[in-house]
Amino acid sequence: MTDFTATRALFELPAGVIYLDGNSLGPLPRGVHARLADAVAAEWGEQLIRAWNDAGWITLPRRVGDRVGRLIGAPKGSVVMGDTLSIKVYQALASALDLVPTRRVVLSDSGNFPTDLYMAEGLLASLGRGHDLRIVAPEDVASAIDESVAVVMITEVDYRTGRRHDMPALIAKAHAMGALVIWDLAHSAGALPVDVAAADADFAVGCTYKYLNGGPGSPAFIYVAPRLADVARPALSGWMGHAAPFAFDVSYRPGAGIERMRVGTPPILALAALDAALDVWDDVDMGDIRAASLRLSDLFITEVEARCPDLVLASPRDGGVRGSQVSFRHPDGYAIMQALIARGVIGDFRAPDILRFGLTPLYIGESDIVAAVDIIADVMNTRAWDAPEFRKQGLVT
Ligand SMILES: *Cc1c(COP(=O)(O)O)cnc(C)c1O
């Protein structure tokens, strides 16, 4: 059994804050300080260029990739870290489209995160081969997969509502129709059990600063099924994915397997922070995380609905089709969230009307949920949110 009192002690959480936004930016694991200080002083400072070999910097994207891989059911050697998620979406889509050259449709859904759709738009325009980005409602994805579809590009858990797609079923349908599937696991990795190998996923990508607590801008990951890893063209053919980067050939030859999905020089300090953050998961069972997350979410939904009748549940009521977040709708959602943050309950707002709360059992327990709902109920029932200071918008919501 995962000891959640022990995992909570591994985080630095500011006093007076109930942090329900780990689905957007995970909090700081205590071990990151020492690891970063060492990477800066002992590795960069003392070893200088020698650290690429002596401190293992050059293999860090693969070693950290294996640690992330364990959390998403990926076999060793099938995940590599680097770049941002937007870049990895682009790369996975370009590679996948190359593998299905005769078809012209990329299928996604309207609940997908905008950058995924924007990157697809940009890529399809650059390819100039007449591809079409077809966007349907999340419920209609399965029935929209037909023999015109080259690639299905889906985010497993909807960032607004927390609605969760049925990964094995969509993969089975896509494969039966001759299409490939790319999964964005931004709201899945570290949030719920994922098994990319058992589900026979083709490509999967995700970020690490949300439920994996890697820190702002921490590097993304990409998984390519071993059956495709040696045939997929990496599309972003950077030197770090070359078969022999230090041969300095004038032409590109892709590296073996997942190595080819590397692009340029890895962000070592960010990777070191992420590597330390992943220590938190060493004794964690994803099944325990899921059970605790559903328990917290169900409690949260029950209490908010009982005490705040103006907040309308935007997430599926059935935990089986929900990720690890709970969202409510309210036309004044922005001001309400600002008022909650002012009182130490930190969630976030997503336009046009969504109040979003991430439930993360590593460091959030039942008593936090109870305390948070007390504050939410007070802010709602006294209309404390209805004040000019809570309507001011920052650049980031
Ligand atoms: C958070 C998120 C992103 C963010 O992409 P970045 O390149 O890291 O900014 C992309 N896709 C999804 C589904 C996300 O939830």
Side-chain angles (χ1 to χ4, degrees):
M1 239 350 236
T2 304
D3 178 353
F4 289 117
T5 311
T7 58
R8 183 184 180 113
L10 298 173
F11 287 91
E12 227 161 85
L13 296 162
V17 163
I18 302 173
Y19 196 61
L20 305 181
D21 211 6
N23 53 319
S24 207
L25 175 68
L28 172 63
R30 292 185 194 280
V32 169
H33 291 286
R35 176 66 189 278
L36 261 187
D38 193 59
V40 170
E43 296 178 5
W44 179 15
E46 290 293 324
Q47 297 183 38
L48 292 163
I49 194 78
R50 295 168 291 188
W52 284 105
N53 285 317
D54 296 350
W57 285 356
I58 195 67
T59 55
L60 198 53
R62 276 286 290 280
R63 287 185 287 122
V64 174
D66 281 339
R67 299 188 78 185
V68 171
R70 187 180 76 78
L71 301 174
I72 60 165
K76 259 198 163 27
S78 63
V79 175
V80 74
M81 311 304 299
D83 316 298
T84 65
L85 177 50
S86 302
I87 301 281
K88 274 358 213 181
V89 165
Y90 187 98
Q91 189 178 28
L93 183 56
S95 294
L97 285 173
D98 251 32
L99 293 168
V100 196
T102 57
R103 298 186 182 186
R104 289 291 175 270
V105 173
V106 175
L107 177 68
S108 192
D109 73 73
S110 54
N112 205 346
F113 192 80
T115 203
D116 298 51
L117 301 175
Y118 302 162
M119 294 306 282
E121 257 184 55
L123 170 61
L124 300 189
S126 296
L127 288 176
R129 300 206 314 247
H131 283 101
D132 182 25
L133 177 60
R134 188 177 295 164
I135 299 173
V136 300
E139 311 71 56
D140 297 337
V141 171
S143 58
I145 303 174
D146 59 25
E147 285 175 347
S148 69
V149 174
V151 176
V152 183
M153 185 186 80
I154 295 291
T155 295
E156 186 190 14
V157 176
D158 188 306
Y159 74 105
R160 279 204 193 93
T161 63
R163 180 189 184 279
R164 180 189 188 186
H165 279 291
D166 184 342
M167 181 184 290
L170 288 182
I171 291 174
K173 173 87 194 268
H175 286 177
M177 291 289 162
L180 294 176
V181 190
I182 297 168
W183 289 94
D184 188 328
L185 302 177
H187 294 276
S188 308
L192 39 86
V194 178
D195 198 331
V196 289
D200 201 22
D202 303 303
F203 292 81
V205 294
C207 56
T208 58
Y209 48 79
K210 292 171 181 162
Y211 292 90
L212 297 177
N213 315 303
S218 60
F221 65 85
I222 183 165
Y223 163 80
V224 181
R227 66 188 148 76
L228 299 177
D230 281 319
V231 293
R233 196 179 68 89
L236 297 172
S237 39
W239 74 305
M240 283 285 157
H242 191 280
F246 289 88
F248 297 105
D249 286 346
V250 291
S251 56
Y252 184 77
R253 273 183 298 125
I258 197 68
E259 279 288 324
R260 65 181 58 187
M261 293 296 164
R262 293 178 62 163
V263 182
T265 304
I268 294 301
L269 297 181
L271 274 169
L274 170 61
D275 196 23
L278 291 171
D279 289 349
V280 166
W281 296 93
D282 283 347
D283 299 316
V284 171
D285 176 84
M286 286 311 299
D288 293 342
I289 287 275
R290 180 64 171 158
S293 154
L294 291 178
R295 218 166 34 241
L296 295 175
S297 307
D298 288 342
L299 173 67
F300 188 66
I301 291 171
T302 304
E303 289 294 310
V304 170
E305 288 194 319
R307 298 173 64 186
C308 312
D310 291 347
L311 295 180
V312 178
L313 185 66
S315 297
R317 197 170 293 281
D318 171 6
V321 290
R322 196 171 63 220
S324 197
Q325 69 176 67
V326 172
S327 303
F328 290 93
R329 290 184 198 281
H330 191 288
D332 290 296
Y334 181 79
I336 294 167
M337 185 53 76
Q338 295 311 302
L340 292 178
I341 293 171
R343 295 197 187 185
V345 175
I346 302 185
D348 60 23
F349 171 76
R350 287 292 173 262
D353 60 355
I354 296 263
L355 295 121
R356 191 171 70 152
F357 302 93
L359 290 307
T360 48
L362 286 180
Y363 50 86
I364 290 292
E366 250 176 55
S367 60
D368 300 305
I369 298 298
V370 171
V373 176
D374 280 344
I375 292 169
I376 297 169
D378 189 63
V379 162
M380 291 308 297
N381 299 329
T382 61
R383 289 184 69 89
W385 54 267
D386 196 1
E389 76 242 47
F390 298 133
R391 298 194 186 277
K392 277 203 287 286
Q393 296 239 4
L395 287 177
V396 175
T397 63

